[in-house]
Amino acid sequence: MTTSAPARQAPPALGPGFRVFWGSCAVSLAGDALRGITVILWLYDAWGGSARAVALGVLFERLPTLVVGPGMGVLADRYDRKQILIVSNVSRAAGSGAILWGMLSGSVPLVLGALAASAIGGSAGSAARGAVLPQLVAKGALVRANSSMTTTEQVSYILGPLLGALLYSKAGPAVALTADAVSFVVAALLQRRLPSQPVARRATASDQGREEVTDRDLAATGVRAGVRALLDSRDRTLAVALGTYLCVVLQAGINNTVLVAFLPAALNRPEGDVALFSLTNGVAQVLVAGLLISFAARLAPVSALSLSAWAMVGGGWVLAGSTSLYMALAGVLIIALASAPLQISFTTLRQTRVPDALQGRATGLVSTLSGTAFLVASQVGAWLADHASPRVSLVGSAAALTTGAILTLLLRRAASHAH
């Protein structure tokens, strides 16, 4: 959705409410990164170096979120989103304590159960977080705000695991998980300074670019109302963008699972070199998202999403056809450079095309769809790598990106019909 020239020349300021929101999210993201690496390392050690333990940890953390995601979206639309954020972080702090108790007791089932319970509390916060941002900043500042959030998220993905691994190796899980719990408490305290986020009102005629919300929409379940909001019959822009986004998620699920096997099988490199891919991906996304903060006023989400999708296609095929580590890193770099603007553009489209009263439901449904796509792609990618070859899986990954890019050809047509 494009903006007028004056809005691009003088974008609205983000304001103090966003700064408080950003600070609380930065702290909780750091906690996420600390917890993630600590749980992985502990499970790996507890099960005698078994990769299955790590996979089981991922399953217990992600599956509950997929199941309850749409329902949490309904909560985020019906209750004060500020209070949901606070309660979510407090519950996650308690979850960190329960995980640590399980670790000190040497109980894998207790650790997995606490991880699943904490993930449910976190999913409520995720739905509320995705719905709060459009109420904190002006519509013209959303791209800049989303760029700031993406940059912070990627920085946490780079620094958090390094810090968590260091704490775990030097001091054990107690220090790492205590720091994790403290981060969630600090985030909750910061969120108390946010303005109240009462039950979202219906859209009015003054909400340009947003459809009217009916009592039926507000009473609908998370799935039905979320589908209605995302697949608007009069504006297919968001529906097409969602298709492209899910294709990118499929690629991520395959690549994250297969690259560790692709290195020794196709490039004759040690598995440990997979860390180079993670570092390349994280640094590239931080740099691009950081640049977009400065150039956000010039970014048209529909055009940016289309260009990013086609750039990722090039990176996907370079990676699938790579014959050396450097060629593979080049493919990962291209994908990473285009990933940040695509993510930011899709998020901005969702925030501007969905009524405020349904933001929680739409966020919850997108989270469920993308999480499901990631898990399915990772399983299919692993199966193909075992029964054919890791390169075949990466060809499938590149094909998913190509499909997503082809879908963007429909974006401008959908946007023009919306007007």
Side-chain angles (χ1 to χ4, degrees):
M1 191 172 183
T2 58
T3 57
S4 64
R8 290 199 298 267
Q9 292 171 359
L14 294 178
F18 172 78
R19 289 194 290 272
V20 172
F21 178 71
W22 171 86
S24 66
C25 290
V27 173
S28 64
L29 283 170
D32 286 334
L34 279 174
R35 173 188 290 186
I37 191 65
T38 302
V39 171
I40 285 175
L41 292 173
W42 186 87
L43 287 173
Y44 188 78
D45 290 339
W47 277 23
S50 172
R52 289 180 300 168
V54 177
L56 194 61
V58 173
L59 181 65
F60 270 74
E61 185 175 26
R62 290 186 178 237
L63 188 59
T65 302
L66 302 184
V67 174
V68 304
M72 293 303 177
V74 174
L75 289 178
D77 287 337
R78 291 183 177 174
Y79 299 98
D80 189 330
R81 292 164 180 168
K82 170 185 173 180
Q83 297 304 321
I84 292 175
L85 288 171
I86 294 172
V87 171
S88 173
N89 276 309
V90 171
S91 70
R92 295 174 80 192
S96 297
I99 292 171
L100 178 58
W101 182 23
M103 288 180 176
L104 295 178
S105 304
S107 173
V108 171
L110 180 56
V111 169
L112 292 176
L115 187 64
S118 184
I120 292 174
S123 67
S126 295
R129 188 165 57 245
V132 161
L133 191 58
Q135 294 183 329
L136 290 178
V137 301
K139 188 175 179 180
L142 279 173
V143 172
R144 185 180 170 200
N146 287 322
S147 300
S148 300
M149 298 299 294
T150 299
T151 302
T152 304
E153 185 177 3
Q154 291 302 323
V155 169
S156 73
Y157 288 160
I158 296 173
L159 299 181
L162 294 176
L163 178 59
L166 179 63
L167 289 175
Y168 183 86
S169 62
K170 298 296 184 182
V175 174
L177 282 171
T178 299
D180 175 48
V182 169
S183 73
F184 293 131
V185 172
V186 171
L189 292 174
L190 286 173
Q191 286 161 352
R192 293 184 63 187
R193 297 171 54 194
L194 288 172
S196 293
Q197 301 287 326
V199 179
R201 62 178 177 81
R202 293 187 188 89
T204 65
S206 63
D207 292 325
Q208 296 180 1
R210 304 187 182 196
E211 296 298 327
E212 197 72 24
V213 181
T214 66
D215 291 329
R216 181 186 174 195
D217 289 323
L218 292 172
T221 64
V223 174
R224 286 189 290 120
V227 168
R228 270 193 219 121
L230 294 172
L231 308 183
D232 188 340
S233 62
R234 284 178 285 177
D235 183 0
R236 298 293 186 186
T237 306
L238 188 53
V240 175
L242 175 62
T244 298
Y245 176 71
L246 291 178
C247 287
V248 172
V249 173
L250 289 173
Q251 167 269 153
I254 294 173
N255 288 5
N256 283 12
T257 305
V258 171
L259 282 176
V260 67
F262 179 72
L263 283 165
L267 303 182
N268 196 29
R269 300 287 303 189
E271 295 90 338
D273 281 353
V274 74
L276 296 174
F277 292 126
S278 298
L279 183 62
T280 299
N281 177 72
V283 171
Q285 292 205 44
V286 167
L287 291 175
V288 172
L291 285 173
L292 288 177
I293 296 174
S294 301
F295 294 98
R298 303 178 185 177
L299 185 71
V302 168
S303 299
L305 189 142
S306 300
L307 292 173
S308 300
W310 282 106
M312 294 183 80
V313 170
W317 287 109
V318 168
L319 177 60
S322 59
T323 55
S324 69
L325 177 63
Y326 298 108
M327 187 175 177
L329 285 172
V332 169
L333 178 62
I334 295 170
I335 293 173
L337 289 172
S339 179
L342 187 142
Q343 169 73 36
I344 292 166
S345 298
F346 174 72
T347 302
T348 304
L349 283 172
R350 176 185 61 75
Q351 291 166 342
T352 54
R353 302 270 174 164
V354 173
D356 286 338
L358 298 177
Q359 285 287 343
R361 290 168 170 85
T363 301
L365 183 57
V366 169
S367 297
T368 297
L369 291 175
S370 59
T372 302
F374 187 94
L375 286 178
V376 170
S378 66
Q379 298 302 311
V380 173
W383 186 89
L384 285 174
D386 289 341
H387 291 81
S389 73
R391 192 180 297 276
V392 171
S393 295
L394 292 183
V395 168
S397 171
L401 289 176
T402 303
T403 301
I406 291 173
L407 286 176
T408 65
L409 298 176
L410 304 173
L411 271 176
R412 290 197 175 279
R413 181 179 178 185
S416 62
H417 283 181
H419 298 292

